[in-house]
Amino acid sequence: MDKIALFINGQRVFATRGATILEVALENTIYIPHLCYHPSLEHPGTCRLCIVEVNSGRLVTSCRTPVEEGMEVKTHSPKVDKAVRILVELLIADHHASCQGCPGSGRCELQKIMSNLRIDRRRVRRLRPPKEELPLESLNRCFDYDVNKCVRCGICVQTCEDLHGVSYLYFVDRGYDTKIAFFGDESKCLSCLKCTIRCPVGILTSKSR
Ligand code: FES
């Protein structure tokens, strides 16, 4: 295999040519926040949380940027930290309620990112008080969906398409109202429940839990 060397936060690491910065960082236990990345899926680059600085200045999404020989990557810098913090605060501003009682608590990527960046949820709440909390939606006979806590990463939609060749789930509405729904006949869902397993914030819950 064609190996190359690069530097992440000054640490020399080796990588397979063609791998992305995020893959190489995670392999070397260097944490980069991410929500829409899943190792089995194409990386849509929608959440933008995996931003890093390369070669002293350029900001790139690490899940979509291949490593290069001699590349210098910073996962933290004033520019990176500011950009990621703004993105996370926007997400939190649109994210209802506390983690208490949430089925995703403990395995939630957003929780992990918040603790990594030491985000003060109360500060965000002061900037934008949450809107009315919506009831849990029964998406079909197999699982429920908490729209209040959805981060719109698209992993569930992509997973369905990847596994079944066609996605029965898709996005509806726009902006802050964007949510997932079944396309057409919900009974066509094959009940594999992979979408509930891969949801990074754990808000698709199997009814058989
Ligand atoms: Fe890279 Fe979401 S993980 S854009």
Side-chain angles (χ1 to χ4, degrees):
M1 274 226 203
D2 194 5
K3 289 279 182 188
I4 58 174
L6 65 149
F7 298 88
I8 304 183
N9 300 336
Q11 179 187 335
R12 190 168 191 227
V13 297
F14 295 92
T16 307
R17 198 179 289 278
T20 64
I21 297 171
L22 181 61
E23 286 164 343
V24 175
L26 296 178
E27 263 167 37
N28 287 277
T29 61
I30 299 167
Y31 181 65
I32 297 176
H34 56 276
L35 274 178
C36 68
Y37 164 80
H38 187 281
S40 305
L41 298 172
E42 289 287 314
H43 315 315
T46 51
C47 76
R48 321 296 292 176
L49 294 182
C50 66
I51 286 171
V52 294
E53 190 172 322
V54 294
N55 301 338
S56 305
R58 208 157 52 93
L59 292 185
V60 296
T61 47
S62 61
C63 70
R64 294 183 61 85
T65 308
V67 289
E68 291 169 15
E69 178 71 47
M71 187 182 234
E72 288 182 23
V73 178
K74 283 186 197 159
T75 64
H76 287 287
S77 74
K79 264 160 78 173
V80 171
D81 294 349
K82 185 176 174 197
V84 176
R85 183 167 286 275
I86 289 171
L87 289 169
V88 175
E89 289 188 348
L90 283 171
L91 260 179
I92 300 299
D94 188 40
H95 200 84
H96 264 282
S98 75
C99 300
Q100 251 181 0
C102 176
S105 189
R107 65 176 184 98
C108 172
E109 277 298 327
L110 188 54
Q111 249 179 354
K112 187 170 166 183
I113 292 166
M114 283 175 61
S115 106
N116 192 268
L117 298 180
R118 298 201 176 89
I119 299 279
D120 180 357
R121 193 192 292 253
R122 283 166 306 180
R123 190 186 92 85
V124 182
R125 286 274 178 267
R126 281 198 297 275
L127 295 176
R128 182 180 187 273
K131 48 186 186 181
E132 188 194 348
E133 192 160 356
L134 299 168
L136 199 66
E137 285 187 27
S138 172
L139 274 192
N140 74 352
R141 66 190 183 285
C142 302
F143 55 90
D144 297 322
Y145 169 53
D146 188 347
V147 64
N148 305 291
K149 292 178 176 170
C150 179
V151 292
R152 286 105 186 162
C153 64
I155 285 182
C156 55
V157 176
Q158 269 202 82
T159 293
C160 194
E161 185 161 1
D162 185 54
L163 292 176
H164 308 305
V166 53
S167 183
Y168 298 110
L169 283 171
Y170 75 127
F171 284 114
V172 292
D173 296 336
R174 285 169 170 246
Y176 282 125
D177 294 325
T178 306
K179 61 178 186 175
I180 57 160
F182 270 99
F183 184 74
D185 186 358
E186 61 173 54
S187 67
K188 285 192 178 150
C189 167
L190 301 174
S191 319
C192 70
L193 296 179
K194 278 282 178 357
C195 54
T196 66
I197 295 164
R198 288 185 180 175
C199 173
V201 288
I203 50 84
L204 287 173
T205 44
S206 160
K207 290 186 198 291
S208 60
R209 269 182 344 125

